[in-house]
Amino acid sequence: ASSKPGQSHPACWRRASNWRGCGRCLEAVSTEGSAYIPADSPNAVTVGAVPWNNPGTIEVFSSQGPTTDGRIKPDFVANGVTLYSTNSTGDADYRSLSGTSMSTPNCAGSLNLLVRYYESSHGSTPRSSTMKAVLMQTADEAGVAEGPDYSFGWGLVDTREAAGLILADSLTQGMIIEDSLADGETDQF
């Protein structure tokens, strides 16, 4: 779950020197109002929850943006309702769970598979910013607003579409570009 200002996120704060987090975590959004630290980090992938059978409806427990400085969060939404998951009552126990604590690992698992697919098709590991951009460009529209918004972010994660973009780039390079710009520099393509 997201931390409110002043609270720590142990996995993140041990490695971080500021209150923005490590930038490598995927963070669940599950508090009312704006996404708080570390979920509001520009580099964190923040995931809201939608039901699998109605991805145009944001769940009541899923926080909505904007961040305190006006950026879009959550970044994406994923199924976070009634997912079959492990249960702490025994080594072989399972149960259905709902929450951003379900949508976030759902997205993280998909993203992990996409990173491995990129590595096998391109022979290199993609930047985290590249994978976030791939998810942005291939997400399905969710909600009533066209384009990114403060409820659904860039939309519903579409792993198949993202894998298709990675495949297309491996066959015709130039569809996914990893580059950097200096301060004040621009690029057109």
Side-chain angles (χ1 to χ4, degrees):
S2 294
S3 300
K4 290 188 176 184
Q7 295 178 331
S8 66
H9 181 255
C12 213
W13 302 133
R14 281 194 294 269
R15 296 186 300 262
S17 60
N18 61 41
W19 286 96
R20 287 307 214 188
C22 70
R24 289 186 275 187
C25 62
L26 278 92
E27 182 64 29
V29 179
S30 60
T31 58
E32 292 182 18
S34 293
Y36 295 109
I37 54 178
D40 73 342
S41 167
N43 297 323
V45 176
T46 310
V47 184
V50 295
W52 69 270
N53 59 349
N54 190 6
T57 303
I58 194 79
E59 285 298 316
V60 295
F61 50 75
S62 194
S63 182
Q64 299 179 41
T67 61
T68 54
D69 63 356
R71 285 176 291 108
I72 291 175
K73 289 291 179 173
D75 295 295
F76 307 101
V77 292
N79 181 15
V81 180
T82 318
L83 272 77
Y84 198 57
S85 184
T86 57
N87 192 8
S88 62
T89 57
D91 290 344
D93 293 348
Y94 296 87
R95 68 180 186 160
S96 291
L97 297 168
S98 297
T100 54
S101 295
M102 294 284 86
S103 61
T104 299
N106 180 353
C107 179
S110 296
L111 192 53
N112 184 46
L113 292 172
L114 291 167
V115 168
R116 302 300 164 245
Y117 185 57
Y118 186 99
E119 289 172 337
S120 68
S121 63
H122 287 70
S124 63
T125 301
R127 296 176 183 167
S128 59
S129 58
T130 299
M131 295 311 298
K132 188 173 180 179
V134 166
L135 290 182
M136 286 177 173
Q137 294 302 312
T138 59
D140 287 338
E141 182 62 55
V144 295
E146 187 70 27
D149 59 61
Y150 296 130
S151 296
F152 299 89
W154 293 88
L156 182 67
V157 172
D158 187 336
T159 309
R160 180 180 298 204
E161 195 68 26
L165 177 57
I166 292 168
L167 174 63
D169 183 65
S170 72
L171 300 173
T172 308
Q173 294 197 345
M175 297 184 81
I176 299 173
I177 300 170
E178 290 190 321
D179 205 352
S180 57
L181 298 171
D183 284 342
E185 188 179 8
T186 62
D187 192 7
Q188 293 181 348
F189 51 92

